Amino acid sequence: MYRMGKEEVDAVARVIYSKKLFKVNDGANQEVANFEKEMREKMCIKHAVLMTSGFGALQAALVGMNIGPGDEVIVPAYTYIATAMAVVSVGAMPVVAEIDDSLMIDPYDIEKKITPKTKAVIPVHMGGYPCDMDAIMAVAKKHNIKVLEDACQAVGGSYKGKRLSTIGDAGAFSFNYFKNISAGEGGALMTNDKEIFENGLIFHDSCAIAYFGDQMSGFSAEPFCGTEMRTNEITAAIMRVQLTRLDGILDDLRKNKKKLMALLAPYTEFVVSNDPEGECSCKITLKFDSKQKALDFKEKMPSASIPAYLGKHVYNDWKMIIEKRGARNPRMNPFLFEENRGFEFPVDACEKSLEILAKHAHIEINPDWTEEDIKAKADEIIAALKQ
């Protein structure tokens, strides 16, 4: 989270004074409904559902796509474990695919990993960098599989002029503390598909969706037993303010990143980008020609991070997935379902990805840096590069 102030305090106070904190209420401020409307307008999409987390949004989208036991969903080797866990949570199996030099999922390896069981692919816009959505959508169309964009780390980013999360069949945002706009926790399902929206909405609030307000007006889908990830008016009020800050935050991140890159360009290479103008620019990523040089740089600049060693953000550290512990009760464990018999998740499945990740280093960008801050950061990085 980058910016928060009096406007958010006033928004929370507005809800508290109204004494109507439940998302469905008779009048008052309708914070959830208004946030969803404002998000739809901002992202140019038909449906947006605010809920408690990005993980929940991924789950809801997969349920909306009717994905379950016996199905496979392709995920990248470089993404937070939540992406794979969302797949397991609906009874399906996550198949890991290589990344390419952009650090995003490799469209060519997606195609290699497709089997008759493949129902979807989840491209993840890691660190605010866009995936190669043209190539991914072409592969998906060729093989008739769904595309669920995990844009949890890329709220507001774009690819060739289209906002991330709006290009595939559905998308997911996260609004937790570590994202560029935040209410501490939160997420949103994004889609233009009516069936995904209806079933995703029911899944995320199955205890109450049919009983409060007219949320299912005009629905074709019938209620079913799902889960409870309904949010509240306070979260939505904060997010309404945060949404107004989004484009300004992105503008300043991009401006500061460009200035920093210009100062560093004589001394280093940068990661390949699928759309430099569409990046969220929350980090700058340096490219090295060996693992050792990346490690040497990290030693001299501890604030940098090498993505190969980011724990649960890399597939070989997804311990619960590797050990097939998909549920506390073994009878509920999707890895043991008859439909998923024979599925394996080898830890050496994407060694190419590990090599690529080990030769890059991330450095965080702050939208509020001054010219002096940028110059100081550049000097620090250049000193660390002089090995």
Side-chain angles (χ1 to χ4, degrees):
M1 181 183 69
Y2 294 112
R3 293 170 178 166
M4 182 169 282
K6 185 177 184 299
E7 294 86 350
E8 284 85 356
V9 173
D10 291 343
V12 170
R14 180 176 70 228
V15 175
I16 292 173
Y17 287 132
S18 77
K19 298 183 180 180
K20 295 188 177 178
L21 279 63
F22 192 69
K23 68 173 279 190
V24 180
N25 55 69
D26 54 347
N29 302 301
Q30 297 289 316
E31 306 290 353
V32 173
N34 278 307
F35 172 79
E36 291 172 344
K37 175 178 179 290
E38 290 153 8
M39 178 62 87
R40 292 193 301 269
E41 292 171 350
K42 173 73 73 176
M43 300 297 161
C44 298
I45 200 165
K46 291 180 181 177
H47 307 289
V49 183
L50 180 65
M51 56 187 75
T52 54
S53 69
F55 174 79
L58 290 169
Q59 275 187 307
L62 290 166
V63 169
M65 293 173 177
N66 201 33
I67 289 171
D71 296 336
E72 293 178 351
V73 178
I74 298 171
V75 301
Y78 178 43
T79 181
Y80 190 55
I81 190 174
T83 309
M85 288 177 64
V87 175
V88 175
S89 75
V90 301
M93 294 288 97
V95 174
V96 68
E98 300 274 19
I99 60 168
D100 59 21
D101 288 340
S102 69
L103 307 191
M104 305 298 107
I105 194 167
D106 185 343
Y108 301 101
D109 201 50
I110 291 173
E111 190 153 31
K112 290 178 183 177
K113 299 294 170 64
I114 291 174
T115 74
K117 292 185 174 183
T118 306
K119 295 298 185 295
V121 59
I122 306 181
V124 184
H125 307 295
M126 286 293 286
Y129 288 102
C131 293
D132 183 353
M133 292 307 299
D134 282 347
I136 291 167
M137 295 303 293
V139 170
K141 182 177 180 181
K142 177 180 176 182
H143 295 275
N144 193 31
I145 62 174
K146 298 289 188 183
V147 176
L148 168 54
E149 291 180 76
D150 183 337
C152 290
Q153 294 189 9
V155 180
S158 61
Y159 174 79
K160 296 187 177 180
K162 292 196 70 174
R163 297 275 194 174
L164 303 178
S165 83
T166 71
I167 302 166
D169 297 279
F173 285 146
S174 170
F175 306 127
N176 75 22
Y177 177 76
F178 302 99
K179 304 307 189 290
N180 52 11
I181 57 173
S182 174
E185 291 290 354
L189 165 65
M190 313 291 291
T191 187
N192 285 310
D193 187 296
K194 186 173 184 287
E195 182 179 0
I196 294 174
F197 162 67
E198 290 183 2
N199 287 310
L201 184 72
I202 293 167
F203 174 77
H204 105 288
D205 188 17
S206 60
C207 302
I209 197 74
Y211 309 109
F212 290 92
D214 59 353
Q215 297 178 82
M216 294 183 63
S217 176
F219 271 34
S220 301
E222 295 289 339
F224 56 87
C225 295
T227 185
E228 184 54 82
M229 298 181 290
R230 180 181 62 245
T231 191
N232 60 77
E233 292 286 87
I234 290 177
T235 294
I238 294 171
M239 288 311 307
R240 290 184 70 189
V241 179
Q242 287 282 291
L243 189 60
T244 68
R245 298 186 188 274
L246 178 61
D247 288 340
I249 290 171
L250 293 176
D251 287 347
D252 289 339
L253 283 168
R254 289 164 178 163
K255 175 188 67 179
N256 289 349
K257 180 173 180 177
K258 285 179 180 178
K259 290 178 179 178
L260 183 58
M261 287 181 72
L263 293 171
L264 297 178
Y267 305 94
T268 187
E269 293 185 65
F270 306 105
V271 70
V272 175
S273 176
N274 292 304
D275 185 344
E277 298 303 314
E279 295 172 11
C280 290
S281 297
C282 47
K283 59 188 56 164
I284 188 169
T285 304
L286 311 186
K287 179 182 178 181
F288 297 88
D289 55 19
S290 73
K291 296 181 189 178
Q292 190 56 52
K293 286 185 178 180
L295 288 169
D296 291 343
F297 174 77
K298 165 68 175 173
E299 185 177 358
K300 293 184 177 182
M301 189 161 182
S303 62
S305 61
I306 298 176
Y309 313 119
L310 287 176
K312 293 293 186 292
H313 288 86
V314 185
Y315 85 98
N316 64 348
D317 198 43
W318 296 347
K319 189 173 182 181
M320 296 91 83
I321 305 293
I322 293 167
E323 296 179 358
K324 298 184 177 180
R325 290 187 279 118
R328 179 66 184 88
N329 189 314
R331 289 171 296 178
M332 296 290 288
N333 185 350
F335 290 106
L336 302 181
F337 290 176
E338 181 62 31
E339 296 94 330
N340 297 327
R341 180 186 291 274
F343 175 80
E344 295 296 334
F345 192 89
V347 293
D348 60 352
C350 292
E351 292 187 339
K352 173 188 169 187
S353 295
L354 301 179
E355 290 281 332
I356 293 171
L357 293 169
K359 295 179 182 179
H360 289 80
H362 295 315
I363 299 157
E364 300 296 321
I365 304 291
N366 190 311
D368 296 325
W369 277 345
T370 64
E371 295 288 342
E372 292 75 18
D373 292 331
I374 296 169
K375 178 64 166 57
K377 181 61 68 172
D379 289 343
E380 181 186 7
I381 295 169
I382 292 166
L385 287 167
K386 291 180 178 178
Q387 302 169 1

